Amino acid sequence: MTAAGLIRAAPLAGPQRHQLDPADWATLAEALRHDHALDFLGLWGSPGAVHAAFREGAALLLTSVPAPDGHYAALSPARPAASWHERAVADLFGLLAEGGTDHRPWLDHGRWLLATPMDERPRRAGGEPPQPEWRPPPGEDLHQYPLGPVLPGFGPAHLRLHLRGERVQTLEALLGYGHVGLLGAMLGRSPRAAARLVGRISADAAVAHGWAFARAAEAATGAEPPPRAVLLRAVMAELERLACHLSDWGHTVGMAGLAVARSRCVILREGLLRAQEVAFGSRLLLDAVVPGGVATDLSPDGEAALAHAMAAVEQALPMLQSLQDRHVGLQDRLAGAAPLAGARAMALATGGIAGRAAGRDVDLRRDMPYGPYPRFAFAMPTATIGDAEARLRLRLREMPESLGLIRAALARLEPGALLAPLPVGAGEGAAMVEGPRGDVLHWLALDDQGLIGAAFPRDAAWGHLPVLESVMAGRPFGEWPVALASLNPCLEGADL
């Protein structure tokens, strides 16, 4: 039986979630070694249980397994990206992945007051905090190059590189330095109260997280957002995508030495942010998308402000494209830099620009359609080379599509309500949204009072961290700034 078949054959524990017993979970872990049809999305814990999410085409598959003795069969031997999730589950809940590829701490560096703080019986931590554990060096005659835990512009993380001469042999990332206890803070709150926390997981993906969380809450409660709110969500999401692409494109070419192009992108992005403040009252659209709809309407002057900012971006795109095509120095720095192989992208289920630049043709707006996107026509460019140059080229090619989607959504706006009521009661829901950097997943379970009893937010950073480690293996150290900028994994998104 296929891995998907094993999951679907198990009884339902929720509207979308199948409950496996430990023996069937172990069978699933083995089946995943041979079945590559399922994309691994995430793995998370709750007291005494572990949950996982997979994608099969347009279907989201959720499954759980009880772990009353604190152990469960690891998925990381079959899905490498699961290793980071298994380490987080061990740190937060004390649940250990038997047969896992890595058992070192990920978030807990021995400085928390409580060990396994989200377990039903957390224990008080004590003793001297240990030094971080790193993988053994892959050979002799290597030297270590530490980066962080403060990485200006990218967030808190400790990165350790092993080099032979100027060539990187391995790169390893360690998080936990920006851990804020988000999962614990969400518990016991209503979905609308928790939405403020969700919107701050990643500032430049606030709409994507807000939309995915709102859709999950609406699935759990049976609420239906008004048509005007759905269109406004799409407008905000595509504006966010534009701003993120401009920022990442400009930052990367700046790292490659073209400061004038970076400055131009900063100006264009600032114009978008100012237009968003006029249109919706927030530069970064924080708290704009809430369960049941949106919290703010388009202002009377908003459409004109957005049109002006978008026109400036549209006029600048040919110049930015010409720079990337014709600037010899930029080509020398970007072409072939930090390549992601297509097979590796498939194995890691890499989403967003990074995955599409490596030939993985996945975009949730088309493949798992939601909101108004099924009514709109738009292209999804891809490439196969997978290097920094391809990632930047796709960002430029995606921006006109976002401009067209914004205009199409604005043209269809009609007067109407912005917010639907959320029924109070028990329920469970999950949803995915295509964020600026890749797929965003939210799952939550509500108790009888309609308060969050369990939740899991999955940022695209969970998929990009293993990519960041992969693209630098065997590459010159000089490619490191371009690799980090072109992927821009937003480290805070995985440091929950």
Side-chain angles (χ1 to χ4, degrees), residues 139-157:
E140 300 179 352
D141 302 324
L142 300 176
H143 65 276
Q144 294 185 11
Y145 191 96
L147 292 168
V150 177
L151 294 172
F154 291 100

Side-chain angles (χ1 to χ4, degrees), residues 256 324 327-339 385-390 393 475 479 482:
Q324 183 166 348
H327 195 285
V328 176
L330 192 60
Q331 285 289 326
D332 287 343
R333 288 298 306 276
L334 296 178
I385 301 174
D387 60 2
E389 195 274 339
R393 190 173 298 280
R475 307 300 302 178
E479 292 183 7
V482 167

Side-chain angles (χ1 to χ4, degrees), residues 246-282:
L246 283 169
S247 177
D248 289 352
W249 193 93
H251 197 175
T252 304
V253 298
M255 288 293 183
L258 202 59
V260 63
R262 179 178 185 177
S263 298
R264 181 60 176 153
C265 287
V266 169
I267 293 170
L268 292 170
R269 180 176 181 270
E270 177 63 20
L272 278 177
L273 298 187
R274 291 183 181 185
Q276 289 173 182
E277 187 170 26
V278 172
F280 299 108
S282 172

Side-chain angles (χ1 to χ4, degrees), residues 60 75-76 126 155 162 261 331 336 379 421 493:
L60 176 63
L75 302 184
S76 53
H162 283 102
Q331 285 289 326

Side-chain angles (χ1 to χ4, degrees), residues 60-155:
L60 176 63
L61 294 180
L62 304 177
T63 183
S64 302
V65 62
D69 59 351
H71 295 82
Y72 63 98
L75 302 184
S76 53
R79 293 293 187 272
S83 173
W84 286 264
H85 296 262
E86 290 170 356
R87 293 166 67 183
V89 167
D91 287 348
L92 295 174
F93 296 92
L95 305 175
L96 304 180
E98 291 185 330
T101 58
D102 198 337
H103 296 287
R104 294 170 299 158
W106 174 244
L107 301 174
D108 184 2
H109 301 163
R111 300 179 184 274
W112 294 349
L113 295 178
L114 296 175
T116 63
M118 297 196 69
D119 190 12
E120 288 181 330
R121 298 181 182 85
R123 66 182 189 278
R124 182 168 293 278
E128 186 71 18
Q131 290 296 313
E133 298 181 44
W134 303 98
R135 287 191 293 261
E140 300 179 352
D141 302 324
L142 300 176
H143 65 276
Q144 294 185 11
Y145 191 96
L147 292 168
V150 177
L151 294 172
F154 291 100

Side-chain angles (χ1 to χ4, degrees), residues 3 100 140 146 153 179 209 217-218 229 260 265 378 388 391 431 465 471 493:
E140 300 179 352
H179 178 72
H209 276 285
E218 289 154 8
V260 63
C265 287
F378 56 100
R391 291 191 281 273
L465 281 167
V471 298

